[in-house]
Each structure stands twice: as C-alpha cells, then as structure tokens.
Amino acid sequence: MEPRMEPPPGAAGNSKLRHVEKDVLIPQIMRDRAKERCSDKVQAFTKCCQETGFLMVVKCRRENTALKDCLVGYYSDPLFYEECKAEYLKQREEYRATGIKKKRQKVTSNV
C-alpha cells in the first residue's frame, strides 16, 4: 500500500484555511463588503455625526442602530460568509499563481 500524498500547502485547489485567514482576512472582506451593501446607512450616520458634533451620541442613535442592524445582519449570515470566503480563496489562488497581490479597495467614509 502506497502512502497517500497530500498536495503541498501552496498547491492550487487547496482550500484549507489557516487561523489568520479564518479569523482576520475573511472577516475583513466581510466588513468591507457589508459597508458597501449598507452604504446608505453609513452615509446617513456620517451625515448625522457631522451635523451634530459632540451630541452625536444622543442625536444619532436611530442612525447608529440602523447601521449596526444592517452590518450585524450581514456578519451573522452564513451565506454571506461563504460568499466572502469564496472571494478570498479566489484571491489567494490568483496570488499563488501569479505572485501579484490584488489591492483591496477601501470604502471611505468621512467619520
């Protein structure tokens, strides 16, 4: 009986995730994409904060709650996690094949 050969860690198709990938890199993609999808709520909260200054803690509760609900809805969605995981694995595969790291697009807000 021959010993079974495992593909090397850098082999294409290897979808095992390291701790840092599961706990840092994929959640970062989730945060970025959730902010994009909740952009109307991000803008409403940003606008409220800019208009009220120091009183934003009190005056912007409604906008803050709406933004939090939107973001947490995505963070707790297993399908959204799988979608972001697939995106990460695709980026990782491209990097391993080409050696060129894809730049992350940062969502900017004025807060």
Side-chain angles (χ1 to χ4, degrees):
M1 179 181 236
E2 278 185 42
R4 195 167 147 224
M5 296 292 290
E6 298 273 334
N14 181 12
S15 61
K16 269 199 124 155
L17 293 171
R18 296 173 300 155
H19 169 72
V20 71
E21 292 171 320
K22 279 192 279 191
D23 297 340
V24 178
L25 300 173
I26 293 172
Q28 180 62 50
I29 292 172
M30 290 178 73
R31 281 190 297 277
D32 292 345
R33 293 188 72 199
K35 282 181 190 173
E36 289 171 15
R37 293 181 179 191
C38 298
S39 66
D40 57 331
K41 312 243 182 335
V42 171
Q43 289 173 348
F45 180 67
T46 302
K47 183 179 178 195
C48 180
C49 290
Q50 289 172 338
E51 291 173 354
T52 57
F54 291 114
L55 296 174
M56 70 180 146
V57 175
V58 177
K59 300 254 182 182
C60 300
R61 281 188 184 151
R62 188 179 72 238
E63 290 83 354
N64 186 33
T65 300
L67 174 58
K68 228 182 337 181
D69 290 346
C70 183
L71 293 173
V72 170
Y74 283 110
Y75 298 158
S76 59
D77 181 358
L79 292 175
F80 184 66
Y81 175 82
E82 290 301 321
E83 190 179 305
C84 293
K85 177 181 162 185
E87 180 181 327
Y88 171 76
L89 289 172
K90 182 179 173 206
Q91 289 173 3
R92 185 178 77 173
E93 187 178 329
E94 287 174 11
Y95 172 73
R96 288 179 175 177
T98 65
I100 300 170
K101 188 173 184 177
K102 183 180 175 190
K103 300 251 185 210
R104 257 190 16 227
Q105 289 181 328
K106 201 95 162 138
V107 176
T108 58
S109 69
N110 297 334
V111 177

